Amino acid sequence: MSDAIKHECGIALIRLRKDYQYYINKYNTPLYGLNKLYLMMEKQVNRGQDGAGVANIKIDVPPGHRYISRYRSVEQNAVPDIFGKIYKKFRKALKDNKDKAKDAHWIQENVAFSGEVFLGHLRYGTHGQNEIENCHPMLRQSNWRSRNLVMAGNFNMTNVEELFDKLVSLGQHPKEKVDTVTVMEKIGHFLDEENQRQFEYFKSEYHNPELSDVIQDNIDLQRVLQRSCRDFDGGYAMCGMTGYGAAFVARDPAGIRPAFYYADDEVVVVASEKQAIKTSFNCNYDDIKEVQPGHALIINKNGDYSEKQFIDPIERKSCSFERIYFSRASDPDIYAERKQLGRLVIPQVLQEVNFDLKNTVFSYIPNTAETAFLGMIEGLEDYLAKERKKAIMEGVLFEKDLEDLLTFRPRVEKLISKDVKLRTFITNDADRNDMVAHVYDTTFEVIKKGVDNVVLIDDSIVRGTTLERSIVRLLDKLGPKKIVIVSSAPQIRYPDCYGIDMSRMKEFVAFRAAYQLLIERNMDDVLEDTLGRCLTAIELGTAHKENFVKAIYEPFTTEEISDKIAELVKPKDLKAELAIVYQTVDSLNKACPNDTGDWYFTGNYPTPGGNKVVNTAFVNFMKGVEMRAY
């Protein structure tokens, strides 16, 4: 999207199900698992460019040998940076031991990252500084192998304060009050208790060191997750590896965050996106399964796997932004859905250009909107086909009119392209705004000045700042009569608290538009009444029960808010007429029927914590508090 937001981390897990020697013999390399993990992470690098991390577990290596390895990086190209260091370790170890290059036993005892379980993570930080300590996987260490826990995830919790207090009540002393730490420590606590439970059960029958092996063979990870996740409120796809080699991927009860898996006789793999698995393992899309909401894919030490429920599922509300923007469109289902999103805005677009297709040019920005653009053009073709049929049925009197009708095609041009990436080291607001205005290139001399309309489709419009400072100004330089900006997503009205960096009310141009309309129409009482209801609910501890901020939008139609947005983002010196067209929520749900998580558009949050977050965010806005609401 033209208004860049941070979002959705990426996960990748691989479990080699056969003996390590098998892969060396079959694929003629000790790097089979690493190579596949690298490919899976590269195919999901769109999900996280703030940092990355990789961890590996070796199963059943003798005492005295390291069995957990981890690298993390916040370099600009974090994934190549990490794997470059790992591959260097292999080259260095085998340089003077070439005769050991196919000896699995020797490699596992002498080279890091030569285990059977791999976990990769790509980070888009929704909060916190971009430091290596904030990168997953996180490691909870112990001298007992079965108590070690390595975790990475794509998640945000709305109730971090409560989870932190729970840890304190259990007697822990957490080092930070962030969801990453609280989640890992909570699961780690109950993993410790499960270890103790098994110890108490078997201690009369076995003695150390045999007892340690018996404990890890009987640990019930489903029970661990049932006990640790029951008070989580948020969206999550959490991956964990234990020191003894078992692993799990747990998905939230509403299915907000995505998780997919594939298994054959050689591997079990998990990723945030289907296409990463498809590309890496050349499997059929039909063989890639979805981890069901409220379930965990649990992979035992011996490589057996099963999907087990650990919490009661609730109404499925998978994130619709995955379909609109986040996930790659190379997934055939997502590709079809994005094209449908483009088709479904055609009626509104035709009205905005007064059905004057001869004098209308269609384009898109950014590149991620290309698929919706293709759908929009197909929708225009469908419309023209119906118009041709209608004209022929009614009778066309002149041959030239018939020829024009049959040969006309929508006018399509690449009007704007991104030239450079704006670097975050530019911190001065004035300099940054000046740079934003120059990160796009424009194609000149394809618009009939004062005659043509320009229709440009975007994935979504969040803040509207890029439209105002750059895109609309650039289009105006082409001399069109009218500029129509189309969003393939509906109006973003409410904060997200499940993994996307959209947490402050003032950041949403739709909210600013509704706020301005209330002020202009002397409806300030709506603002004050909503503030009072939010404050009372927060004080009484009932803010999680209802989203009071919906009242801000209720007096207005979607079209009224869209018109006000156009006013807000319109530069004062703009010569062309400007209109903003948004996808409707009904059309969104029609295009993406299986992923109906639309709380940022409708305010219908899938968990109670979402209501608390939006009410708090509104209070923060009204009081001028610059902080996240969760």
Side-chain angles (χ1 to χ4, degrees), residues 452-470:
D452 282 343
N453 306 304
V454 168
V455 176
L456 184 141
I457 192 168
D458 195 351
D459 303 292
S460 68
I461 302 168
V462 186
R463 303 178 181 94
T465 51
T466 306
L467 284 180
E468 179 184 2
R469 297 171 185 169
S470 182

Side-chain angles (χ1 to χ4, degrees), residues 136-153:
H136 300 196
M138 298 292 184
L139 178 58
R140 191 176 192 266
Q141 293 180 289
S142 171
N143 211 32
W144 277 266
R145 186 164 53 186
S146 56
R147 292 175 182 255
N148 281 280
L149 179 64
V150 184
M151 284 199 65

Side-chain angles (χ1 to χ4, degrees), residues 44-78:
Q44 296 183 103
V45 76
N46 55 296
R47 303 187 69 85
Q49 295 160 23
D50 287 341
V54 168
N56 177 241
I57 300 285
K58 299 177 185 178
I59 300 175
D60 286 338
V61 294
H65 294 81
R66 185 178 294 274
Y67 58 94
I68 301 177
S69 302
R70 179 181 63 160
Y71 269 155
R72 297 177 293 175
S73 174
V74 290
E75 295 298 318
Q76 185 174 348
N77 296 302

Side-chain angles (χ1 to χ4, degrees), residues 474-504:
L474 288 173
L475 291 174
D476 195 48
K477 290 180 181 179
L478 302 178
K481 179 179 69 175
K482 185 174 185 178
I483 298 169
V484 181
I485 304 296
V486 182
S487 169
S488 66
Q491 296 170 359
I492 299 172
R493 300 180 170 190
Y494 304 95
D496 182 83
C497 49
Y498 304 117
I500 307 172
D501 182 24
M502 299 192 303
S503 58
R504 299 173 180 86

Side-chain angles (χ1 to χ4, degrees), residues 40 47 89 98 102 106 111 127 151 189 222 260 348 384-385 404 614:
M40 286 178 70
R47 303 187 69 85
K89 280 184 171 290
K98 294 180 180 179
K102 294 187 177 182
W106 185 90
V111 189
H127 71 287
M151 284 199 65
H189 170 80
Q222 180 185 17
F260 301 93
Q348 296 159 270
L384 289 170
D404 289 345
V614 67

Side-chain angles (χ1 to χ4, degrees), residues 200-212:
E200 296 293 338
Y201 186 83
F202 289 109
K203 67 180 182 181
S204 62
E205 300 179 43
Y206 300 93
H207 300 283
N208 283 324
E210 184 184 12
L211 179 57
S212 294

Side-chain angles (χ1 to χ4, degrees), residues 193-445:
E193 285 206 347
E194 176 65 11
N195 271 269
Q196 188 63 31
R197 186 173 77 98
Q198 297 299 338
F199 171 78
E200 296 293 338
Y201 186 83
F202 289 109
K203 67 180 182 181
S204 62
E205 300 179 43
Y206 300 93
H207 300 283
N208 283 324
E210 184 184 12
L211 179 57
S212 294
D213 294 331
V214 172
I215 289 172
Q216 66 187 30
D217 289 340
N218 286 276
I219 284 176
D220 186 346
L221 287 178
Q222 180 185 17
R223 186 174 189 270
V224 171
L225 293 171
Q226 286 172 335
R227 301 184 72 201
S228 56
C229 300
R230 56 192 171 194
D231 52 1
F232 288 176
D233 187 304
Y236 54 85
M238 297 184 297
C239 295
M241 301 189 300
T242 64
Y244 62 92
F248 64 85
V249 179
R251 193 175 182 206
D252 66 80
I256 296 171
R257 299 275 70 87
F260 301 93
Y261 73 95
Y262 164 76
D264 58 26
D265 61 344
E266 292 187 354
V267 296
V268 182
V269 298
V270 181
S272 295
E273 297 186 27
K274 281 186 178 181
Q275 57 82 26
I277 298 174
K278 165 67 176 174
T279 302
S280 302
F281 293 90
N282 194 31
C283 56
N284 297 322
Y285 266 106
D286 291 343
D287 293 329
I288 302 173
K289 309 299 181 184
E290 184 178 17
V291 178
Q292 293 303 304
H295 288 66
L297 181 71
I298 296 176
I299 310 168
N300 295 329
K301 179 186 174 184
N302 63 7
D304 292 338
Y305 67 94
S306 59
E307 201 172 347
K308 296 183 178 181
Q309 182 178 319
F310 66 93
I311 195 169
D312 290 336
I314 58 178
E315 183 182 0
R316 180 188 170 95
K317 289 291 181 181
S318 300
C319 176
S320 58
F321 254 125
E322 287 284 351
R323 323 305 287 185
I324 298 167
Y325 171 67
F326 296 148
S327 295
R328 292 194 183 192
S330 50
D331 181 312
D333 294 332
I334 291 176
Y335 183 79
E337 290 171 10
R338 289 184 186 172
K339 289 185 75 173
Q340 182 70 348
L341 287 170
R343 286 191 187 95
L344 292 173
V345 295
I346 287 301
Q348 296 159 270
V349 171
L350 289 172
Q351 289 181 358
E352 285 295 344
V353 299
N354 199 27
F355 296 86
D356 183 12
L357 294 183
K358 287 186 178 180
N359 297 307
T360 300
V361 175
F362 294 86
S363 192
Y364 64 91
I365 188 171
N367 289 340
T368 50
E370 182 177 7
T371 307
F373 171 76
L374 294 175
M376 184 169 68
I377 299 304
E378 287 185 3
L380 286 172
E381 293 283 8
D382 293 342
Y383 165 77
L384 289 170
K386 291 177 182 178
E387 290 298 302
R388 292 185 188 108
K389 181 179 179 180
K390 178 181 176 183
I392 292 171
M393 294 292 289
E394 293 177 353
V396 179
L397 298 178
F398 300 103
E399 182 179 345
K400 184 179 183 306
D401 292 336
L402 179 61
E403 182 178 353
D404 289 345
L405 190 66
L406 294 176
T407 59
F408 179 77
R409 294 290 181 272
R411 294 172 60 193
V412 174
E413 302 289 352
K414 185 70 179 285
L415 296 179
I416 294 181
S417 57
K418 202 161 189 178
D419 184 30
V420 296
K421 181 179 179 182
L422 181 65
R423 299 301 183 191
T424 55
F425 58 71
I426 300 175
T427 56
N428 178 274
D429 287 343
D431 290 345
R432 188 193 304 112
N433 292 344
D434 180 66
M435 182 65 79
V436 167
H438 293 88
V439 297
Y440 295 99
D441 270 349
T442 314
T443 305
F444 290 93
E445 308 306 326

Side-chain angles (χ1 to χ4, degrees), residues 110-182:
N110 291 276
V111 189
F113 295 96
S114 57
E116 295 87 349
V117 196
F118 298 86
L119 178 56
H121 185 263
L122 298 133
R123 180 177 189 263
Y124 249 134
T126 54
H127 71 287
Q129 296 183 3
N130 193 28
E131 298 175 345
I132 200 164
E133 289 78 10
N134 292 326
C135 285
H136 300 196
M138 298 292 184
L139 178 58
R140 191 176 192 266
Q141 293 180 289
S142 171
N143 211 32
W144 277 266
R145 186 164 53 186
S146 56
R147 292 175 182 255
N148 281 280
L149 179 64
V150 184
M151 284 199 65
N154 170 14
F155 65 90
N156 258 10
M157 298 299 169
T158 69
N159 59 336
V160 176
E161 292 279 350
E162 292 88 341
L163 295 176
F164 180 86
D165 292 342
K166 179 67 174 179
L167 290 176
V168 174
S169 70
L170 291 171
Q172 293 193 19
H173 192 93
K175 61 182 180 181
E176 289 182 82
K177 192 182 290 187
V178 295
D179 53 9
T180 302
V181 172
T182 52

